[in-house]
Amino acid sequence: MLAVVSFIICVNSSAEATGADLVVYGKIFTSESNQIVEAFAVKDGKYVYVGDKKCAEAFAPLFKNGQIIRLEQFNFR
């Protein structure tokens, strides 16, 4: 059941994706329900997606002057 819900959410997000100025991949803590997500996308200074990496990838190919940041390349301690 969870996989079906994830798929529906991902399809809806992909359909609404209009590109993003910034997509960030990594282990990201959110204050909403203390969740940890894999990615987020920002367009015009607003979050347009927060969730798993696979769905966030729908925003990346639509870049004109966008940027992708992969947090795993940084050494945070």
Side-chain angles (χ1 to χ4, degrees):
M1 174 94 166
L2 181 58
V4 172
V5 172
S6 268
F7 176 74
I8 292 170
I9 291 169
C10 189
V11 168
N12 287 343
S13 296
S14 297
E16 296 171 4
T18 57
D21 302 319
L22 173 69
V23 176
V24 177
Y25 297 119
K27 188 174 183 179
I28 302 158
F29 176 78
T30 69
S31 60
E32 185 176 318
S33 303
N34 295 326
Q35 294 181 48
I36 295 178
V37 298
E38 297 175 319
F40 67 85
V42 177
K43 171 85 174 168
D44 296 327
K46 297 179 182 177
Y47 290 100
V48 293
Y49 179 77
V50 177
D52 64 40
K53 182 178 178 180
K54 184 173 183 167
C55 291
E57 289 173 352
F59 294 89
L62 303 173
F63 280 8
K64 293 179 182 171
N65 295 317
Q67 183 177 11
I68 297 174
I69 298 175
R70 291 178 174 80
L71 296 177
E72 63 268 7
Q73 69 189 8
F74 299 99
N75 188 9
F76 296 106
R77 295 192 191 237

Coordinates of all heavy atoms in Angstrom, one line a residue:
M1 N 0.8 -1.2 0.0 CA 0.0 0.0 0.0 C 0.9 1.3 0.0 O 0.6 2.2 -0.7 CB -0.9 0.0 1.2 CG -1.7 1.2 1.4 SD -3.3 1.0 0.7 CE -4.2 2.3 1.4
L2 N 1.9 1.3 0.8 CA 2.8 2.4 0.9 C 3.5 2.7 -0.5 O 3.6 3.9 -0.8 CB 3.9 2.2 2.0 CG 4.9 3.3 2.2 CD1 4.1 4.6 2.5 CD2 5.8 3.0 3.3
A3 N 3.9 1.7 -1.2 CA 4.5 1.9 -2.5 C 3.5 2.5 -3.5 O 3.9 3.4 -4.3 CB 5.0 0.5 -3.0
V4 N 2.3 2.1 -3.4 CA 1.3 2.7 -4.3 C 1.1 4.2 -4.0 O 1.1 5.0 -4.9 CB -0.1 2.0 -4.2 CG1 -1.2 2.7 -4.9 CG2 0.1 0.6 -4.7
V5 N 1.0 4.5 -2.7 CA 0.9 5.9 -2.3 C 2.1 6.7 -2.7 O 2.0 7.8 -3.3 CB 0.7 6.1 -0.8 CG1 0.7 7.5 -0.3 CG2 -0.6 5.4 -0.4
S6 N 3.3 6.2 -2.6 CA 4.5 6.9 -3.0 C 4.5 7.1 -4.5 O 4.9 8.2 -5.0 CB 5.7 6.0 -2.7 OG 6.3 6.3 -1.5
F7 N 4.1 6.1 -5.3 CA 4.0 6.2 -6.7 C 3.0 7.3 -7.1 O 3.3 8.1 -8.0 CB 3.6 4.9 -7.3 CG 3.4 5.0 -8.8 CD1 4.6 5.1 -9.6 CD2 2.2 5.0 -9.4 CE1 4.4 5.2 -11.0 CE2 2.0 5.1 -10.8 CZ 3.2 5.2 -11.6
I8 N 1.9 7.4 -6.5 CA 0.9 8.4 -6.8 C 1.4 9.8 -6.5 O 1.3 10.7 -7.3 CB -0.4 8.1 -6.1 CG1 -1.1 6.9 -6.6 CG2 -1.4 9.3 -6.2 CD1 -2.3 6.4 -5.8
I9 N 2.0 10.0 -5.4 CA 2.6 11.2 -5.0 C 3.7 11.6 -6.0 O 3.8 12.8 -6.4 CB 3.2 11.2 -3.6 CG1 2.0 11.1 -2.6 CG2 4.0 12.4 -3.3 CD1 2.4 10.8 -1.2
C10 N 4.6 10.7 -6.4 CA 5.6 11.0 -7.3 C 5.1 11.4 -8.7 O 5.6 12.3 -9.3 CB 6.5 9.7 -7.4 SG 8.1 10.0 -8.3
V11 N 4.1 10.7 -9.1 CA 3.5 11.0 -10.4 C 2.9 12.4 -10.4 O 3.1 13.2 -11.3 CB 2.4 9.9 -10.8 CG1 1.6 10.4 -12.0 CG2 3.1 8.6 -11.1
N12 N 2.2 12.7 -9.4 CA 1.6 14.0 -9.2 C 2.6 15.1 -9.2 O 2.5 16.1 -9.8 CB 0.7 14.1 -8.0 CG -0.6 13.4 -8.1 OD1 -1.0 13.0 -9.2 ND2 -1.2 13.1 -7.0
S13 N 3.7 14.9 -8.5 CA 4.8 15.9 -8.4 C 5.5 16.0 -9.7 O 5.8 17.1 -10.1 CB 5.8 15.4 -7.3 OG 5.3 15.4 -6.1
S14 N 5.7 14.9 -10.4 CA 6.3 15.0 -11.7 C 5.4 15.7 -12.7 O 5.9 16.5 -13.5 CB 6.6 13.6 -12.3 OG 7.4 12.9 -11.4
A15 N 4.2 15.5 -12.7 CA 3.2 16.2 -13.6 C 3.2 17.7 -13.4 O 3.1 18.5 -14.3 CB 1.8 15.6 -13.5
E16 N 3.4 18.1 -12.1 CA 3.4 19.5 -11.8 C 4.8 20.2 -11.9 O 4.9 21.4 -11.7 CB 2.8 19.7 -10.4 CG 1.4 19.3 -10.2 CD 0.9 19.2 -8.8 OE1 1.7 19.6 -7.9 OE2 -0.2 18.8 -8.6
A17 N 5.8 19.4 -12.1 CA 7.2 19.9 -12.1 C 7.3 20.9 -13.3 O 7.1 20.6 -14.4 CB 8.2 18.8 -12.3
T18 N 7.8 22.1 -12.9 CA 8.0 23.1 -13.9 C 9.5 23.5 -13.9 O 9.8 24.6 -14.4 CB 7.1 24.3 -13.7 OG1 7.4 24.8 -12.4 CG2 5.6 24.0 -13.8
G19 N 10.3 22.6 -13.4 CA 11.7 23.0 -13.3 C 12.0 23.6 -11.9 O 11.0 24.0 -11.2
A20 N 13.2 23.6 -11.5 CA 13.6 24.2 -10.3 C 14.9 25.0 -10.4 O 15.6 24.7 -11.3 CB 13.7 23.1 -9.2
D21 N 15.0 25.9 -9.6 CA 16.3 26.7 -9.6 C 17.4 25.9 -8.8 O 18.6 26.1 -9.1 CB 16.1 28.0 -8.9 CG 15.0 28.9 -9.5 OD1 14.9 28.9 -10.8 OD2 14.2 29.5 -8.8
L22 N 17.0 25.1 -7.9 CA 17.9 24.3 -7.1 C 17.3 23.0 -6.7 O 16.1 22.9 -6.3 CB 18.2 25.1 -5.8 CG 19.0 24.5 -4.7 CD1 20.5 24.3 -5.2 CD2 19.0 25.3 -3.4
V23 N 18.1 21.9 -6.8 CA 17.7 20.6 -6.3 C 18.8 20.2 -5.4 O 20.0 20.2 -5.8 CB 17.4 19.6 -7.4 CG1 17.1 18.2 -6.8 CG2 16.3 20.0 -8.3
V24 N 18.5 19.7 -4.1 CA 19.5 19.3 -3.2 C 19.2 17.8 -2.8 O 18.1 17.5 -2.5 CB 19.5 20.2 -1.9 CG1 20.5 19.6 -0.9 CG2 19.8 21.6 -2.3
Y25 N 20.2 17.0 -3.0 CA 20.1 15.6 -2.6 C 21.0 15.3 -1.3 O 22.1 15.9 -1.2 CB 20.7 14.7 -3.7 CG 19.9 14.7 -5.0 CD1 20.6 15.2 -6.2 CD2 18.6 14.4 -5.1 CE1 19.9 15.2 -7.4 CE2 17.9 14.5 -6.3 CZ 18.6 14.9 -7.4 OH 17.9 14.9 -8.6
G26 N 20.5 14.5 -0.4 CA 21.3 14.2 0.8 C 20.3 13.7 1.9 O 19.1 13.5 1.7
K27 N 20.9 13.6 3.0 CA 20.1 13.2 4.2 C 19.7 14.5 4.9 O 20.5 15.2 5.5 CB 20.9 12.4 5.2 CG 20.2 11.8 6.3 CD 21.1 10.9 7.1 CE 20.3 10.2 8.2 NZ 21.1 9.3 9.0
I28 N 18.4 14.9 4.7 CA 17.9 16.2 5.1 C 16.8 16.1 6.2 O 15.8 15.4 6.0 CB 17.3 16.9 3.9 CG1 18.4 17.0 2.8 CG2 16.8 18.3 4.2 CD1 17.9 17.2 1.4
F29 N 17.0 16.7 7.3 CA 16.1 16.8 8.4 C 15.0 17.8 8.2 O 15.4 19.0 7.8 CB 16.8 17.0 9.7 CG 15.8 17.1 10.9 CD1 15.3 16.0 11.5 CD2 15.5 18.4 11.4 CE1 14.4 16.1 12.5 CE2 14.6 18.5 12.5 CZ 14.1 17.4 13.0
T30 N 13.8 17.5 8.3 CA 12.7 18.5 8.2 C 12.0 18.6 9.6 O 12.0 17.7 10.4 CB 11.6 18.1 7.2 OG1 10.9 16.9 7.7 CG2 12.2 17.7 5.9
S31 N 11.5 19.8 9.8 CA 10.9 20.0 11.1 C 9.4 19.4 11.1 O 8.8 19.3 12.2 CB 10.8 21.5 11.5 OG 10.1 22.2 10.5
E32 N 8.9 19.1 10.0 CA 7.6 18.5 9.9 C 7.6 17.0 10.3 O 8.2 16.2 9.6 CB 7.0 18.6 8.5 CG 5.6 18.2 8.4 CD 5.0 18.4 7.0 OE1 5.3 19.5 6.4 OE2 4.3 17.5 6.5
S33 N 7.1 16.7 11.5 CA 7.0 15.4 12.0 C 8.4 14.8 12.2 O 8.6 13.6 12.2 CB 6.2 14.5 11.1 OG 4.9 14.9 10.9
N34 N 9.5 15.6 12.3 CA 10.8 15.2 12.5 C 11.2 14.1 11.4 O 11.8 13.1 11.7 CB 11.0 14.6 13.9 CG 10.9 15.7 14.9 OD1 11.2 16.9 14.7 ND2 10.3 15.4 16.0
Q35 N 10.9 14.4 10.2 CA 11.2 13.5 9.1 C 12.6 13.7 8.5 O 13.1 14.8 8.6 CB 10.2 13.7 7.9 CG 8.8 13.3 8.3 CD 7.9 13.5 7.0 OE1 8.3 13.1 5.9 NE2 6.8 14.2 7.2
I36 N 13.2 12.6 8.0 CA 14.4 12.8 7.2 C 14.0 12.4 5.8 O 13.5 11.3 5.5 CB 15.5 11.8 7.8 CG1 15.9 12.3 9.2 CG2 16.7 11.9 6.8 CD1 16.9 11.5 9.8
V37 N 14.4 13.3 4.9 CA 14.1 13.1 3.4 C 15.4 13.0 2.6 O 16.4 13.3 3.2 CB 13.1 14.2 2.9 CG1 11.8 14.2 3.6 CG2 13.8 15.6 3.0
E38 N 15.2 12.6 1.4 CA 16.4 12.5 0.5 C 16.7 13.6 -0.4 O 17.8 13.8 -0.9 CB 16.2 11.2 -0.4 CG 16.1 9.9 0.4 CD 15.8 8.8 -0.6 OE1 15.0 8.9 -1.5 OE2 16.4 7.7 -0.3
A39 N 15.7 14.5 -0.6 CA 15.9 15.6 -1.5 C 14.9 16.7 -1.3 O 13.8 16.5 -0.7 CB 15.8 15.1 -2.9
F40 N 15.2 17.9 -1.8 CA 14.2 19.0 -2.0 C 14.5 19.8 -3.2 O 15.6 19.8 -3.7 CB 14.1 19.8 -0.7 CG 15.3 20.7 -0.4 CD1 15.5 21.9 -0.9 CD2 16.2 20.2 0.5 CE1 16.6 22.7 -0.6 CE2 17.3 21.0 0.9 CZ 17.5 22.2 0.3
A41 N 13.5 20.5 -3.7 CA 13.7 21.3 -4.9 C 13.1 22.7 -4.5 O 12.1 22.8 -3.8 CB 12.9 20.7 -6.1
V42 N 13.7 23.8 -5.1 CA 13.3 25.1 -4.8 C 13.1 25.9 -6.1 O 14.0 25.7 -7.0 CB 14.4 25.9 -4.0 CG1 14.0 27.3 -3.8 CG2 14.6 25.2 -2.6
K43 N 12.0 26.6 -6.3 CA 11.8 27.4 -7.5 C 11.3 28.8 -7.0 O 10.4 28.9 -6.2 CB 10.7 26.7 -8.3 CG 10.1 27.5 -9.4 CD 11.0 27.4 -10.6 CE 10.3 28.1 -11.8 NZ 11.2 28.2 -12.9
D44 N 12.0 29.8 -7.5 CA 11.6 31.2 -7.1 C 11.6 31.4 -5.6 O 10.7 32.1 -5.1 CB 10.3 31.6 -7.8 CG 10.3 31.6 -9.3 OD1 11.4 31.9 -9.8 OD2 9.3 31.2 -9.9
G45 N 12.5 30.8 -4.9 CA 12.7 31.0 -3.5 C 11.7 30.2 -2.6 O 11.6 30.4 -1.4
K46 N 10.9 29.3 -3.2 CA 9.9 28.5 -2.5 C 10.2 27.0 -2.7 O 10.5 26.6 -3.8 CB 8.5 28.9 -2.9 CG 8.1 30.3 -2.6 CD 6.8 30.6 -3.1 CE 6.4 32.1 -2.9 NZ 5.1 32.5 -3.3
Y47 N 9.9 26.2 -1.7 CA 10.0 24.8 -1.8 C 8.9 24.3 -2.7 O 7.8 24.6 -2.5 CB 9.9 24.1 -0.5 CG 11.1 24.3 0.4 CD1 11.0 25.2 1.5 CD2 12.3 23.6 0.3 CE1 12.1 25.4 2.3 CE2 13.3 23.8 1.1 CZ 13.2 24.7 2.1 OH 14.3 24.9 3.0
V48 N 9.3 23.6 -3.8 CA 8.3 23.0 -4.7 C 8.2 21.5 -4.5 O 7.2 20.9 -5.0 CB 8.5 23.4 -6.1 CG1 8.3 24.9 -6.4 CG2 9.9 23.0 -6.6
Y49 N 9.2 20.9 -3.8 CA 9.2 19.5 -3.6 C 10.1 19.2 -2.4 O 11.2 19.7 -2.3 CB 9.6 18.7 -4.8 CG 9.6 17.2 -4.5 CD1 8.4 16.5 -4.5 CD2 10.8 16.5 -4.2 CE1 8.4 15.2 -4.2 CE2 10.8 15.2 -3.8 CZ 9.6 14.5 -3.8 OH 9.5 13.2 -3.5
V50 N 9.6 18.3 -1.5 CA 10.4 17.7 -0.4 C 10.0 16.3 -0.3 O 8.9 15.9 -0.2 CB 10.1 18.4 0.9 CG1 10.9 17.8 2.0 CG2 10.4 19.9 0.8
G51 N 11.0 15.4 -0.4 CA 10.7 14.0 -0.3 C 11.9 13.1 -0.8 O 13.0 13.4 -0.5
D52 N 11.5 12.0 -1.6 CA 12.6 11.1 -2.0 C 13.3 11.6 -3.2 O 12.8 12.4 -4.0 CB 12.0 9.7 -2.2 CG 11.0 9.6 -3.3 OD1 11.2 10.2 -4.3 OD2 10.0 8.9 -3.1
K53 N 14.5 11.0 -3.4 CA 15.3 11.4 -4.5 C 14.7 11.1 -5.9 O 14.8 11.9 -6.8 CB 16.7 10.7 -4.4 CG 17.7 11.1 -5.5 CD 19.0 10.4 -5.2 CE 20.0 10.7 -6.4 NZ 21.3 10.1 -6.2
K54 N 14.1 10.0 -6.0 CA 13.5 9.6 -7.3 C 12.5 10.6 -7.8 O 12.6 11.0 -9.0 CB 12.9 8.2 -7.2 CG 12.4 7.7 -8.5 CD 11.9 6.3 -8.4 CE 11.5 5.8 -9.8 NZ 11.3 4.4 -9.9
C55 N 11.6 11.1 -7.0 CA 10.6 12.0 -7.4 C 11.3 13.4 -7.6 O 10.9 14.1 -8.5 CB 9.5 12.2 -6.4 SG 8.5 10.7 -6.3
A56 N 12.3 13.8 -6.9 CA 12.9 15.1 -7.0 C 13.7 15.1 -8.4 O 13.8 16.2 -8.9 CB 13.9 15.3 -5.9
E57 N 14.1 14.0 -8.9 CA 14.8 14.0 -10.2 C 13.9 14.5 -11.3 O 14.4 15.0 -12.3 CB 15.3 12.6 -10.5 CG 16.4 12.2 -9.6 CD 16.9 10.7 -9.8 OE1 16.2 10.0 -10.5 OE2 17.9 10.4 -9.2
A58 N 12.6 14.5 -11.1 CA 11.7 15.1 -12.1 C 11.9 16.5 -12.3 O 11.6 17.1 -13.4 CB 10.2 14.8 -11.7
F59 N 12.4 17.2 -11.3 CA 12.7 18.7 -11.5 C 14.0 19.0 -12.1 O 14.2 20.0 -12.8 CB 12.7 19.3 -10.1 CG 11.3 19.3 -9.4 CD1 10.9 18.2 -8.7 CD2 10.4 20.3 -9.6 CE1 9.7 18.1 -8.1 CE2 9.2 20.3 -9.1 CZ 8.8 19.2 -8.3
A60 N 15.0 18.1 -12.0 CA 16.3 18.3 -12.5 C 16.5 18.5 -14.0 O 17.1 19.4 -14.5 CB 17.3 17.2 -12.0
P61 N 15.8 17.6 -14.8 CA 16.0 17.8 -16.3 C 15.5 19.0 -16.9 O 15.8 19.4 -18.0 CB 15.3 16.6 -16.9 CG 14.9 15.7 -15.8 CD 15.0 16.5 -14.5
L62 N 14.6 19.7 -16.1 CA 14.0 20.9 -16.6 C 14.8 22.2 -16.4 O 14.3 23.3 -16.6 CB 12.6 21.0 -16.0 CG 11.7 19.8 -16.2 CD1 10.4 19.9 -15.4 CD2 11.4 19.6 -17.6
F63 N 16.0 22.0 -15.9 CA 16.8 23.2 -15.6 C 17.2 24.0 -16.8 O 17.4 23.5 -17.8 CB 18.1 22.8 -14.9 CG 18.1 22.4 -13.5 CD1 16.9 22.3 -12.8 CD2 19.2 22.1 -12.8 CE1 16.8 21.9 -11.5 CE2 19.2 21.8 -11.5 CZ 18.0 21.7 -10.9
K64 N 17.2 25.3 -16.6 CA 17.8 26.2 -17.6 C 19.1 26.7 -17.0 O 20.1 26.5 -17.5 CB 16.8 27.3 -18.0 CG 15.6 26.9 -18.7 CD 14.6 28.0 -19.0 CE 13.4 27.4 -19.7 NZ 12.4 28.4 -19.8
N65 N 19.0 27.4 -15.9 CA 20.1 27.9 -15.2 C 20.1 27.3 -13.7 O 20.6 28.0 -12.8 CB 20.1 29.4 -15.1 CG 20.3 30.0 -16.5 OD1 21.1 29.5 -17.3 ND2 19.5 31.0 -16.8
G66 N 19.6 26.1 -13.5 CA 19.4 25.6 -12.2 C 20.7 24.9 -11.7 O 21.7 24.8 -12.4
Q67 N 20.7 24.5 -10.5 CA 21.9 23.9 -9.8 C 21.4 22.7 -9.1 O 20.4 22.6 -8.4 CB 22.5 24.9 -8.9 CG 23.7 24.5 -8.2 CD 24.3 25.6 -7.3 OE1 23.7 26.6 -7.1 NE2 25.5 25.4 -6.9
I68 N 22.3 21.7 -9.1 CA 22.1 20.4 -8.3 C 23.2 20.4 -7.3 O 24.4 20.5 -7.6 CB 22.1 19.2 -9.2 CG1 21.0 19.2 -10.2 CG2 22.1 17.9 -8.3 CD1 21.0 18.0 -11.2
I69 N 22.9 20.1 -6.0 CA 23.9 20.0 -5.0 C 23.7 18.6 -4.4 O 22.6 18.2 -4.0 CB 23.7 21.1 -3.9 CG1 24.0 22.4 -4.5 CG2 24.7 20.8 -2.7 CD1 23.7 23.6 -3.5
R70 N 24.7 17.9 -4.3 CA 24.7 16.5 -3.6 C 25.5 16.7 -2.3 O 26.7 16.8 -2.3 CB 25.4 15.5 -4.6 CG 24.5 15.2 -5.8 CD 25.1 14.2 -6.7 NE 24.2 13.9 -7.8 CZ 23.9 14.6 -8.8 NH1 24.6 15.7 -9.0 NH2 23.1 14.2 -9.8
L71 N 24.8 16.6 -1.2 CA 25.4 16.8 0.1 C 26.5 15.8 0.4 O 27.4 16.1 1.2 CB 24.3 16.9 1.2 CG 23.4 18.1 1.1 CD1 22.3 18.0 2.2 CD2 24.1 19.4 1.1
E72 N 26.4 14.6 -0.1 CA 27.3 13.5 0.2 C 28.8 13.9 -0.2 O 29.7 13.3 0.2 CB 26.9 12.2 -0.4 CG 26.9 12.1 -1.9 CD 25.5 12.4 -2.4 OE1 24.6 12.8 -1.7 OE2 25.3 12.2 -3.7
Q73 N 28.9 14.9 -1.1 CA 30.2 15.3 -1.5 C 30.9 16.2 -0.5 O 32.1 16.4 -0.6 CB 30.2 16.0 -2.9 CG 29.5 17.3 -2.9 CD 29.3 17.9 -4.3 OE1 29.5 17.2 -5.3 NE2 28.9 19.1 -4.4
F74 N 30.2 16.7 0.5 CA 30.7 17.5 1.5 C 31.0 16.7 2.8 O 30.3 15.8 3.1 CB 29.8 18.7 1.8 CG 29.5 19.6 0.7 CD1 28.4 19.4 -0.1 CD2 30.4 20.5 0.3 CE1 28.1 20.2 -1.2 CE2 30.2 21.3 -0.8 CZ 29.0 21.2 -1.5
N75 N 32.0 17.1 3.6 CA 32.3 16.4 4.8 C 31.8 17.2 6.0 O 32.5 18.1 6.5 CB 33.8 16.2 4.8 CG 34.2 15.3 6.0 OD1 33.4 14.7 6.6 ND2 35.5 15.2 6.2
F76 N 30.6 17.0 6.4 CA 30.0 17.7 7.6 C 30.3 16.9 8.8 O 30.1 15.7 8.9 CB 28.5 17.8 7.4 CG 28.0 18.6 6.3 CD1 27.5 18.0 5.1 CD2 28.1 19.9 6.3 CE1 27.1 18.7 4.1 CE2 27.7 20.7 5.2 CZ 27.2 20.1 4.1
R77 N 30.9 17.6 9.8 CA 31.2 17.0 11.1 C 31.0 18.0 12.2 O 31.2 19.1 12.1 CB 32.6 16.5 11.1 CG 32.8 15.4 10.1 CD 34.1 14.6 10.3 NE 34.2 13.8 9.1 CZ 34.4 12.5 9.2 NH1 34.4 11.9 10.3 NH2 34.5 11.8 8.1

